[in-house]
Amino acid sequence: MTSPEIDQPAPEFNLPATGDQTIRLEDLAGKHVVLFFYPRDATPGCTTESQNFRDSIADFEKASAVVLGISQDSIVSHEKFKAKQSMPFELLSDEDGTVCKAYDVIK
């Protein structure tokens, strides 16, 4: 599988998310969407990456961008991680790795 190319449509997804919701890419049509993929909740590198997005959220909001984090962790794990780090964005659970594979982020 090859990575999505610049100026090509992003692969669709429909994933459970924190806040007891489901997020579908098609529902965000017309918005700037920043997806960041990370391996595991609460690991040092992933925590730092998430904190960087959290700490820069005002800049993303000025650009009218929606920030979403995706990993293969469960929603229960995501809810704990989000609360502990005071994340102002949703985390999506891709437990079977389908979306991670579609975006070619599993190495």
Side-chain angles (χ1 to χ4, degrees):
M1 181 175 289
T2 60
S3 299
E5 298 294 323
I6 294 174
D7 293 330
Q8 296 301 309
E12 286 292 331
F13 61 79
N14 180 356
L15 292 172
T18 50
D20 195 31
Q21 57 188 317
T22 299
I23 295 181
R24 299 178 332 159
L25 184 60
E26 67 186 46
D27 292 340
L28 301 171
K31 297 182 181 183
H32 300 289
V33 178
V34 176
L35 298 178
F36 74 95
F37 291 85
Y38 64 100
R40 301 271 318 190
D41 291 338
T43 59
C46 297
T47 298
T48 299
E49 177 183 24
S50 298
Q51 289 169 338
N52 287 337
F53 280 102
R54 177 198 65 202
D55 296 346
S56 300
I57 197 68
D59 294 327
F60 288 108
E61 289 172 346
K62 279 187 220 170
S64 299
V66 176
V67 175
L68 301 169
I70 301 176
S71 83
Q72 291 181 266
D73 290 307
S74 69
I75 287 298
V76 170
S77 177
H78 281 345
E79 291 288 4
K80 291 176 187 174
F81 186 46
K82 180 181 175 183
K84 184 173 183 178
Q85 297 302 323
S86 302
M87 292 179 201
F89 47 81
E90 304 307 333
L91 300 178
L92 287 64
S93 178
D94 181 29
E95 287 192 85
D96 68 2
T98 302
V99 175
C100 291
K101 288 176 188 149
Y103 280 82
D104 195 30
V105 297
I106 296 178
K107 303 293 178 190

